[in-house]
Amino acid sequence: MSPVRRRSPRKGKKWLLPLLLALALAALGAALLLLKKKEPVLPPVVTAQSVTLSNREAADIARIDIENRYDAPYALLNGPAGWQMADDADFRLRDSALDAIVNNAALIVAEDTVGDFDEHPEWALMNFGLEQAAARVTVTFSEGDSLAFRIGDSVPQETPAYYFLLEGDSHIYTISSDVFEAYTYTRLGLHDVTDPALKGELIDRIEFSGSDPFTAEKRADGWYLTAPFVYPLSDTAMDALLKKLEGLRFAQYVGRAEECDLASLGLEPPLRTLTLDIPETVVTGYDQNDEAMAETRLPAYQLTFDLGDSENEVVFYCRYRGEVVKATVFSAGFLRTQGADSLLLTAPFNAPTNDLSGLIIRRDGEELAYEISLVERVLPNNDFELDESGRILYDVAVRRDGQAVDSDAFLAAYRGLLSLRTEDRLPAGWQIPDAAPALTVEVVRSGSRRQVALYPLDALHDAVAVDGVALYRVEKGWAEGISWP
């Protein structure tokens, strides 16, 4: 047998493996460097440089001619009687709009400079909306000289601004949005609008007729819904409604009612009408020492607001004091949407203890009748105890069947009544049954009485009737935990 030859293994190169590992790590590091995001290079902050283009006295302006794309041209004249519409001396100008027009014509300050036409022959007026300008204004001064400027398109930037050209100046500027707004009023947009300037505390009756009609009246113990049924209203909700009425403002004058096509505006007949009753009031005059000098009685009167069609999603028509105006949904939209449901009182026991004179509870054939009065606190020296404002402090005294009872225990029980909230409406069409209620509580105040009755509704609820009107339900047994002394 021939001998088998064996080859001895070669010794490997010891430096190769570390080299490969180093190359791999280097490649990985290079990849990470390439993948790493570069730090952004922010552009330099450019600060706008305002430029005063004209600075004259407002009193030196004799005439302002305005052309804009929203209406026919019109002019304002500065005469002996003040500013007026050039072709209508009886036109009542709105002070805020007039001030903006005159002041921006007297002092013209550009917010920044875009560039110079002489340095940019490729530019054209149409590039900035200045050929068919949004507004072109000519200002004539009493000395006979004049200037004219144009306001063009909006500038594509975050802060609202518009391109501006002073005729005779080769530069393009930017101007603030306030200046744009001042010279894009329509003629009717300059007409003064008669705002109601209401005081909520003077209103004692509110009636909505037409769509979703209801009437609310102020009584001695608060506001009540009086039509289509009688029910107490929430003081908080009514305060919010009165606050909205105080802030009622109109956006634009349209014309005298007799000069407008009322039917086309939805005002003949109106879609809805709001009538406010303001009672007779007494105005007292005071001298410099705050001493009453004289009193003037102002007779009771009514204010009527007829609500018409919408011009668009934001604006609708309204007739007020013989004028047709435009109102917006932002300040007057509640006139169209206000209903009675959101005003209803959900805390039927709301008489404060200082106006509580009696409480009668009837349940299971038993009657508890309480008489409540206030007794002045007397100090050991027989003086009345006063609070920080100097008013006399009182304690509540309670009697039942002629016998004094623990007033603290009574007040604790009464707070249980005050906690009742009726926010869950009864099923539609539910009627008060002929059977006697499970519980009746009659609250007697200095100027009113209110009866709250509970009727079995289902296994979990009782219906709550306030003065014979049932709108809400409450969980059964809510009053069982109240302990009366």
Side-chain angles (χ1 to χ4, degrees), residues 185-232:
Y185 282 111
T186 63
R187 178 188 178 98
L188 288 179
L190 292 179
H191 198 289
D192 185 38
V193 178
T194 303
D195 287 322
L198 298 169
K199 287 189 176 181
E201 61 186 13
L202 299 181
I203 300 172
D204 67 358
R205 185 175 181 273
I206 300 173
E207 179 186 3
F208 283 96
S209 58
S211 62
D212 196 9
F214 71 90
T215 304
E217 295 181 3
K218 184 164 60 176
R219 296 180 176 178
D221 59 337
W223 282 87
Y224 280 78
L225 184 74
T226 57
F229 51 84
V230 179
Y231 204 85

Side-chain angles (χ1 to χ4, degrees), residues 54-64 83 102 104-108 138-149:
S54 179
N55 189 357
R56 304 285 289 269
E57 294 294 330
D60 294 337
I61 302 177
R63 179 184 175 107
I64 301 176
W83 284 95
V102 174
N104 284 303
L107 176 61
I108 303 175
T138 302
V139 183
T140 305
F141 298 95
S142 54
E143 296 179 358
D145 56 325
S146 64
L147 60 83
F149 57 81

Side-chain angles (χ1 to χ4, degrees), residues 49 60 94-95 104 113-114 122 152 177 199 210 230 235 272 274 280 287 326 331 340 354 376 390 422 469:
Q49 299 292 327
D60 294 337
R94 185 147 54 101
D95 289 339
N104 284 303
T113 304
V114 177
E122 73 279 9
S177 58
K199 287 189 176 181
V230 179
D235 289 339
R272 200 182 198 200
L274 167 64
E280 181 184 75
D287 60 17
K326 292 181 181 180
S331 66
N354 61 0
E376 300 90 344
T422 55
V469 178

Side-chain angles (χ1 to χ4, degrees), residues 350-367:
N350 65 341
T353 54
N354 61 0
D355 190 39
L356 187 64
S357 60
L359 191 70
I360 304 170
I361 303 170
R362 301 181 182 92
R363 179 172 51 190
D364 299 330
E366 181 184 7
E367 178 177 294

